[in-house]
Amino acid sequence: MAGFKEAQGDLRLESVTKTFGDFVAVDDIDLHVPRGSFFALLGPSGCGKTTTLRMIAGLEQPTSGRVLIGDTDLTGSRPYERPVNTVFQSYALFPHLTIRDNVAFGPKRRKAADAATLAADALELVQMTQFAGRKPAQLSGGQQQRVALARALVNHPEVLLLDEPLGALDLKLRREMQVELKRIQTEVGLTFIHVTHDQEEAMTMADTVAVMNKGTIEQLGAPADLYDLPRTRFVANFLGQANTGVGAIEGTDGDHLVADVLGTKVRINKARSQVHDGNVLFGVRPEKVQVSRTKPDGVGNDVKGVVRDVSFLGVATSYLVDMPSGTTWSCYEQNLDVDPIDLRPGDEVWLTWNPGHAFGVAAEDQ
Amino acid sequence: MTPIPRRTRRTLSPPAAALTAAASGGLSRRALLGTGAAASAGLALSACAPPAPPSGGPSSLKLPTDVSDTEKILKWSNWTAYLDMNGKETKSPTLTAFMEQTGIDVSYSEDIEDNDSYYAKVAPQLRAGQSIDRDIFTLTDWMATRVIRDQLCQPLELIQMPNVVGNLLQPLKDASFDPGRAHSITWQSGFAGIGYNRDKVGRELKSLDDLWTDDLKGRIVVLSEFRDTAALVMQSQGVDIESDWGRAEFENAVGFIEQKIDEGYIRKVKGNSYLEDLTSGNAVAGITWSGDIFVLAYDTQDPSWTFTIPESGGTLWSDNMMVPITSTRRRNAQRLMDYYYDPAVAAQVAAWVNYVCPVDGAQAEMEKIDPDLAESPWIFPTAEFIADNNIQQFRVLNSDEDIEYSDMWSSNVMGN
Amino acid sequence: MTALAHAAVDPGGVDPAPPAPEAAKRSWTAYLLLLPGVLWLGVFFLLPLVQLAAVSLQSRYPGFAGYYYRDLNFANYASALTDYAPHFARSFLYAGLATLLAFALAYPLAYAMAFKAGKWRNLMMICVIAPFFTSFILRTFAWSQILADEGWVVGGLELLHLLPGGQIINTPVAVVAGLTYNFLPFMVLPIYASLERADPRVIEAGGDLYANGFTTFRTVTLPMSMPGVLAGTLLTFIPAAGDFVNMELLGPQQGKMVGNVINDQFLAIPGGYPVAAALSFTLMAAILVMVFLYVRRFGTEELV
């Protein structure tokens, strides 16, 4: 096929910028996605993640910068010249073609002699064989989703792009498909780039997550690392819940910084704080905080508060506790005991946490 | 955007005895007897069956009650540009004066596009006894023949119209299709002949043969009305169109015209919009009506537009005012007809429309308006003028001829 | 109530399949909703059609122009099919050419409006629809002025030596051009609607799946707009085949279309009603057959 680039290897974006008029959608990002990994681009709508995806697909061209797979520069090439396929947000199946023909579309364009066999295999992989003769409109959302996946996978692209692929599904189906997608990715071993605004989805499936905000990548890493140690205020708030407060760093205590957050002294491990003087945003995850009626002994930080609300969630109980500083913290307690902690709104409680779990990030976004 | 002028006028019926046979004469009635059974059977089968043809005879005629005394209203259907108009062409001075004099509110509609389509529209309603919301319509003699024969108009009370009785030109008083003018009153008359632009043609056109030359190929338009176009061709072929000619003569003329179309001399055969072809320059000459060419010369301020009667002769026709059979305001209609037979009023109209004025005494009145027009043979033709130029009237066709010739004309000239 | 609705519907000739048990409850509502449409069709479509069929078989009263009697005169149809076969052929040829031309003009226009126009889209839409605000006849008449021998179009083409005949109006070319012009919006709008409705991502998906621009158009965009193309071609061809105005105002004297013959038979020939009705019926039947074959060949499940 004329112009087709048989690139292999890692996907790299080098100083890629995309502007639409005055609006900078993607601002000078660098990205390195190892071959065969499941990579998620996570961020709120308008953060530039979809634009990034479209530049990889070739549906948009970067204003500046380069897109490479292995050593092959794909910048400027057309979508049909790239070894990249996309699973579109609304599936974008061809409404006039049967499921079989939808899936065989790519192989046929590439003049594959065994397009029909390839399509059948791909439908087998997503367990849609029995629907091969139908039209897309006759399928449910989840089924269309599988077909869209098969239509992309059948081409064995070097990179498979998924644009909010589960956004239109209900919660239960979404969970199923998350597992399914992960299974398939493991099975075929392709590079998956998954764009989503759902942090849980990103964390469930991806090996590596890049959190995007305002056209830049705020932080990139394994889901557990991002959660445990966010490096910016945005990541701290976007990825899971965090009890946070802004305070001034007053000094050090061994390995720890000491900060005053609205009258409460808190400690943060130096290695876990991005700032070492001035103002800091202190944070600790809800499940890292213990709730007790009496002041506990130990080395942890503690503070006294008043219960505002108790929600029993089955595996855990969630508490909202009003702090003396005026803020409200949330805490999860696993229901390990036979007898649950019998707390009611208005009860005074002590909150304790291990300072090693706390983190500090710059108080203001850069 | 200018509206499409749609004027079709048709030739005056003959003074011939042919009419008697055509109307409800023995021949037709005998033919009718033969099909009468089929007609009744059809009626029995369905309510949609066509109406039975008129049985004939004034005894069967039932006139609606006249309410003219209480309803001071009159509705008049006429052709475009066929009445005097003020400078802005919004009102007619003569009509305004009539309304002031009589207190009758006249609604004037230029809604007659051509005889056939107007008749096709109103005849079924009139036959069913329904109102067509008109008190006067103005149709050409041959169509008036049909309307009177089918009893679709009311008899007029000439005693109520002293101007008409006194001033209607003598030759028109005994029109063959309406002896004694008991049903119709002439509105205007006119000629069909050759109209052309002398500058663009570059020479005088004197006969029909002058039209069929290479320099005029494709620049000639002729009237779709066969009672004008075929008539002029027949005259040029030496046929006396008032006499009892037959199918062969008509076929000859149709064949000749068809040939001129095939050879590319005649560009279009048009009833309604031939003037547009002259205006736009698609055509520079053709078989046309007299008044139109004078109006064209005036409107374009181009005096080289010329109307002439070919050496072999031309036709003369009239349009006639009639009262639809279902109108309840015949008296109002008669007052209007009588009003336009006041010579002073008639002269005013003639000065504007430039057609032949049917009113005795209008020529003297015209002297006061425009002495040149008073001398115009196109408005006030003398008997010598008619005779010298071999201006004739197409003979009345009986119903079968009407159908046969219309068909022949339509399929060979119009719709081929 | 149910019985009433049934009784009222049945004479209209609608014979719906017996409702499934679970649908029984809804069925009378469906009939009731159908009722106005059925009545409308019955009164304003079926009755006139029956009347037209009856007229097409009538015979003339000899000696009485414009009078007919009920008959089974199939000679009217024989005349329609033999005498006027060339007119039918011409009508379908010109309408077919106009449909092809309109398609060739409308598709890029609709495509540009749907995908490329941006802020100009509404303006383009107005331009497409604007001619509807003036009368069809006036617009055609305006063309007869524009294309006149001494008009600027002919003058310009003659200057460029592109028009050896020196004449556009009163030629078949002018007729086809007029038909194309007059029915163009009927082609543009359905195509535009189907293109505009198409998900742009589906078209992107074509590119993503290795189809270049032309292949994507051929295999994705065009098939997706087929319902619009089908509707547009029908909406153009059907009225164009029956049209007489363009021929009347722009056409030559010889070589009329069937619409002109019908018009003449109705209006200009005393006693022409039966043949005109037979011609109308034949035209209607011919168009129906053509549309049926066409839809069977190119039809999709849904029409727009």
Side-chain angles (χ1 to χ4, degrees):
Chain A
M1 185 192 243
F4 185 75
K5 298 193 162 45
E6 294 280 3
Q8 274 190 353
D10 299 353
L11 169 74
R12 281 181 295 134
L13 303 191
E14 291 179 355
S15 311
V16 167
T17 296
K18 177 68 182 178
T19 57
F20 296 102
D22 291 340
F23 176 70
V24 183
V26 173
D27 190 4
D28 192 28
I29 65 170
D30 289 285
L31 205 60
H32 178 234
V33 181
R35 191 173 186 214
S37 65
F38 199 132
F39 188 92
L41 278 171
L42 174 67
S45 61
C47 72
K49 59 188 192 298
T50 295
T51 306
T52 305
L53 190 85
R54 289 172 64 81
M55 286 191 288
I56 300 169
L59 298 169
E60 305 281 357
Q61 296 296 341
T63 312
S64 64
R66 300 204 301 162
V67 178
L68 302 98
I69 289 178
D71 296 326
T72 313
D73 188 351
L74 298 177
T75 318
S77 62
R78 316 288 303 171
Y80 53 85
E81 295 168 339
R82 302 184 181 204
V84 174
N85 290 110
T86 310
V87 176
F88 289 89
Q89 187 167 8
S90 48
Y91 320 134
L93 298 180
F94 304 123
H96 57 289
L97 298 181
T98 60
I99 299 310
R100 187 181 293 115
D101 290 340
N102 260 279
V103 177
F105 188 92
K108 277 185 187 163
R109 297 288 89 71
R110 297 179 69 176
K111 308 270 191 286
D114 52 348
T117 320
L118 287 173
D121 291 349
L123 284 173
E124 181 76 45
L125 182 70
V126 297
Q127 298 161 9
M128 287 294 292
T129 306
Q130 69 269 41
F131 299 106
R134 295 204 189 166
K135 291 280 183 73
Q138 296 168 300
L139 301 187
S140 72
Q143 292 168 331
Q144 292 189 35
Q145 168 62 58
R146 286 163 185 272
V147 175
L149 189 62
R151 187 178 68 171
L153 281 172
V154 72
N155 305 296
H156 288 284
E158 189 58 21
V159 175
L160 183 84
L161 306 173
L162 302 115
D163 185 6
E164 303 267 7
L166 310 178
L169 304 180
D170 64 40
L171 189 65
K172 190 161 170 289
L173 257 178
R174 197 148 67 211
R175 293 266 182 275
E176 274 177 40
M177 283 304 296
Q178 284 174 7
V179 176
E180 186 84 4
L181 269 178
K182 188 67 194 167
R183 171 182 75 81
I184 290 167
Q185 195 263 338
T186 316
E187 215 171 302
V188 297
L190 303 176
T191 311
F192 274 36
I193 298 187
H194 182 154
V195 155
T196 180
H197 66 276
D198 182 337
Q199 44 106 3
E200 200 183 316
E201 193 175 297
M203 290 199 290
T204 314
M205 298 195 291
D207 308 326
T208 311
V209 175
V211 180
M212 286 191 72
N213 184 36
K214 294 179 182 162
T216 59
I217 292 173
E218 293 257 344
Q219 190 174 351
L220 183 147
D225 296 343
L226 293 185
Y227 184 78
D228 182 55
L229 189 56
R231 279 206 287 268
T232 68
R233 182 178 184 150
F234 177 81
V235 176
N237 286 323
F238 192 77
L239 218 66
Q241 271 185 295
N243 297 309
T244 57
V246 175
I249 293 170
E250 294 183 331
T252 58
D253 172 14
D255 287 344
H256 293 82
L257 299 168
V258 178
D260 179 60
V261 179
L262 299 167
T264 305
K265 299 273 189 244
V266 296
R267 292 189 293 156
I268 312 167
N269 192 319
K270 279 181 184 166
R272 291 177 61 85
S273 184
Q274 308 303 314
V275 287
H276 295 93
D277 48 36
N279 280 348
V280 67
L281 181 86
F282 159 85
V284 59
R285 300 286 181 189
E287 76 280 4
K288 304 279 174 24
V289 180
Q290 277 124 45
V291 183
S292 51
R293 280 188 180 280
T294 53
K295 184 172 166 44
D297 307 326
V299 290
N301 274 125
D302 48 43
V303 65
K304 198 175 176 185
V306 177
V307 176
R308 167 191 282 204
D309 186 52
V310 181
S311 314
F312 179 70
L313 303 173
V315 294
T317 303
S318 159
Y319 300 93
L320 289 178
V321 179
D322 288 332
M323 304 296 280
S325 59
T327 56
T328 301
W329 278 33
S330 95
C331 321
Y332 289 110
E333 298 299 315
Q334 269 194 287
N335 293 324
L336 297 171
D337 296 328
V338 178
D339 299 317
I341 313 166
D342 186 21
L343 286 173
R344 296 177 203 291
D347 291 354
E348 288 198 341
V349 290
W350 286 90
L351 304 182
T352 328
W353 64 93
N354 181 344
H357 288 147
F359 58 82
V361 296
E364 308 298 331
D365 273 330
Q366 309 299 303
Chain B
M1 174 143 343
T2 47
I4 310 170
R6 295 180 76 86
R7 310 169 79 169
T8 313
R9 299 191 184 86
R10 303 200 157 171
T11 50
L12 191 68
S13 60
L19 177 76
T20 339
S24 52
L27 184 104
S28 302
R29 185 168 284 171
R30 266 199 307 281
L32 180 60
L33 285 175
T35 53
S40 337
L43 275 169
L45 275 173
S46 157
C48 308
S55 52
S59 57
S60 66
L61 204 61
K62 265 179 78 177
L63 296 183
T65 314
D66 198 272
V67 297
S68 294
D69 290 343
T70 49
E71 279 186 23
K72 295 287 183 195
I73 296 173
L74 185 69
K75 296 186 176 176
W76 181 9
S77 278
N78 206 349
W79 307 69
T80 49
Y82 218 21
L83 186 63
D84 59 309
M85 286 288 157
N86 63 9
K88 294 178 200 155
E89 303 215 352
T90 50
K91 275 183 178 171
S92 158
T94 57
L95 202 56
T96 308
F98 173 74
M99 290 194 267
E100 278 164 14
Q101 275 175 35
T102 59
I104 296 171
D105 187 21
V106 182
S107 137
Y108 182 74
S109 311
E110 296 182 339
D111 58 353
I112 303 183
E113 296 180 348
D114 59 62
N115 285 298
D116 278 314
S117 62
Y118 190 83
Y119 178 80
K121 199 168 64 184
V122 302
Q125 285 172 278
L126 292 176
R127 283 187 197 127
Q130 292 163 358
S131 164
I132 59 164
D133 200 31
R134 291 287 182 275
D135 304 305
I136 299 179
F137 49 43
T138 315
L139 298 171
T140 309
D141 338 75
W142 63 272
M143 183 55 86
T145 311
R146 204 186 284 173
V147 170
I148 295 166
R149 187 185 62 203
D150 291 359
Q151 297 183 346
L152 300 180
C153 66
Q154 304 187 21
L156 303 171
E157 301 159 287
L158 283 172
I159 195 154
Q160 302 276 357
M161 299 186 278
N163 285 340
V164 173
V165 173
N167 300 336
L168 180 62
L169 286 177
Q170 193 57 42
L172 293 168
K173 276 186 177 162
D174 264 322
S176 57
F177 62 92
D178 187 16
R181 305 314 297 242
H183 295 87
S184 65
I185 304 296
T186 309
W187 170 244
Q188 306 285 320
S189 303
F191 305 98
I194 295 175
Y196 67 105
N197 188 301
R198 204 188 302 108
D199 286 354
K200 288 184 183 169
V201 172
R203 61 173 188 276
E204 297 254 336
L205 298 181
K206 291 179 176 164
S207 73
L208 280 193
D209 287 341
D210 290 346
L211 291 171
W212 323 126
T213 57
D214 281 350
D215 58 328
L216 295 181
K217 210 167 188 173
R219 325 271 333 248
I220 289 167
V221 64
V222 302
L223 293 165
S224 62
E225 174 45 55
F226 69 75
R227 287 168 176 85
D228 290 320
T229 299
L232 259 64
V233 171
M234 286 163 79
Q235 284 174 321
S236 76
Q237 293 172 337
V239 177
D240 175 1
I241 58 170
E242 291 182 346
S243 77
D244 206 8
W245 49 267
R247 182 190 165 96
E249 285 82 0
F250 190 76
E251 254 175 0
N252 264 346
V254 167
F256 181 84
I257 294 161
E258 200 184 350
Q259 190 195 338
K260 292 303 168 202
I261 295 169
D262 286 342
E263 290 169 358
Y265 290 103
I266 296 175
R267 181 185 185 118
K268 275 295 247 190
V269 184
K270 280 188 168 180
N272 313 306
S273 48
Y274 78 93
L275 264 181
E276 287 306 321
D277 288 272
L278 297 182
T279 312
S280 66
N282 291 343
V284 294
I287 296 177
T288 70
W289 290 307
S290 55
D292 287 346
I293 300 302
F294 303 127
V295 171
L296 181 64
Y298 179 82
D299 282 351
T300 58
Q301 292 294 304
D302 182 356
S304 53
W305 282 110
T306 311
F307 182 82
T308 187
I309 301 289
E311 282 165 353
S312 51
T315 60
L316 174 64
W317 42 262
S318 299
D319 289 333
N320 307 280
M321 297 180 278
M322 287 169 285
V323 179
I325 189 70
T326 52
S327 163
T328 55
R329 297 185 281 256
R330 187 185 67 225
R331 290 275 166 93
N332 290 346
Q334 289 173 174
R335 285 182 79 173
L336 182 117
M337 293 176 187
D338 199 48
Y339 169 76
Y340 277 105
Y341 270 76
D342 177 329
V345 177
Q348 242 179 299
V349 174
W352 204 87
V353 303
N354 278 271
Y355 274 107
V356 177
C357 181
V359 179
D360 207 5
Q363 193 164 15
E365 292 293 332
M366 187 65 97
E367 293 282 356
K368 301 175 195 165
I369 300 172
D370 185 340
D372 284 349
L373 288 181
E375 297 306 315
S376 168
W378 308 113
I379 301 176
F380 301 107
T382 59
E384 295 77 48
F385 177 81
I386 301 281
D388 290 352
N389 286 288
N390 190 30
I391 292 166
Q392 293 182 300
Q393 297 169 0
F394 200 74
R395 81 163 167 85
V396 156
L397 304 176
N398 70 37
S399 194
D400 289 340
E401 288 174 322
D402 196 353
I403 293 173
E404 188 184 359
Y405 297 160
S406 298
D407 245 342
M408 200 192 297
W409 180 257
S410 177
S411 46
N412 292 296
V413 174
M414 296 305 299
N416 206 345
Chain C
M1 192 62 211
T2 308
L4 193 91
H6 277 280
V9 168
D10 283 343
V14 170
D15 186 17
E22 69 268 24
K25 248 186 187 170
R26 291 200 318 261
S27 66
W28 70 267
T29 330
Y31 287 152
L32 211 60
L33 288 171
L34 266 176
L35 189 62
V38 169
L39 280 179
W40 176 270
L41 273 181
V43 173
F44 294 107
F45 180 70
L46 217 55
L47 273 183
L49 211 61
V50 169
Q51 170 72 11
L52 191 67
V55 170
S56 74
L57 293 170
Q58 287 178 349
S59 295
R60 297 168 176 174
Y61 270 118
F64 284 88
Y67 288 88
Y68 317 92
Y69 63 91
R70 177 138 306 209
D71 198 358
L72 290 176
N73 187 358
F74 287 97
N76 294 330
Y77 281 91
S79 162
L81 286 171
T82 52
D83 298 355
Y84 299 108
H87 301 80
F88 277 106
R90 222 173 272 129
S91 284
F92 295 137
L93 175 68
Y94 292 170
L97 286 173
T99 306
L100 283 178
L101 278 172
F103 173 75
L105 289 171
Y107 206 97
L109 179 59
Y111 190 91
M113 278 167 64
F115 299 122
K116 310 280 180 195
K119 62 178 175 176
W120 300 105
R121 181 188 292 193
N122 285 340
L123 186 73
M124 288 174 78
M125 179 63 95
I126 289 168
C127 290
V128 169
I129 297 174
F132 285 134
F133 292 112
T134 53
S135 136
F136 170 65
I137 292 178
L138 284 186
R139 276 183 281 129
T140 311
F141 181 67
W143 275 108
S144 78
Q145 305 279 290
I146 294 167
L147 300 178
D149 286 7
E150 295 182 358
W152 59 269
V153 174
V154 171
L157 289 174
E158 277 185 316
L159 268 181
L160 299 170
H161 301 286
L162 289 174
L163 197 71
Q167 178 183 343
I168 295 178
I169 193 122
N170 306 133
T171 64
V173 172
V175 178
V176 173
L179 290 170
T180 306
Y181 160 78
N182 273 309
F183 297 110
L184 188 63
F186 295 105
M187 185 70 92
V188 174
L189 293 177
I191 295 178
Y192 167 75
S194 66
L195 284 174
E196 204 264 340
R197 213 181 46 164
D199 183 353
R201 287 179 202 276
V202 175
I203 293 160
E204 281 183 346
D208 190 67
L209 293 164
Y210 313 111
N212 61 27
F214 177 71
T215 312
T216 300
F217 175 77
R218 186 174 58 80
T219 55
V220 180
T221 316
L222 185 63
M224 275 173 73
S225 60
M226 269 317 279
V229 172
L230 193 77
T233 45
L234 291 181
L235 287 175
T236 305
F237 181 80
I238 294 171
D243 184 72
F244 67 96
V245 171
N246 285 281
M247 176 57 83
E248 197 70 42
L249 294 179
L250 305 174
Q253 187 55 40
Q254 296 289 48
K256 295 280 169 91
M257 292 166 69
V258 74
N260 304 82
V261 178
I262 294 174
N263 189 48
D264 280 354
Q265 289 283 342
F266 258 116
L267 293 182
I269 299 181
Y273 274 38
V275 170
L279 283 167
S280 305
F281 239 88
T282 311
L283 178 66
M284 198 164 22
I287 287 176
L288 267 176
V289 168
M290 277 191 243
V291 167
F292 177 76
L293 293 176
Y294 177 69
V295 171
R296 273 237 328 219
R297 169 70 185 77
F298 295 102
T300 53
E301 287 124 57
E302 16 140 32
L303 268 178
V304 180

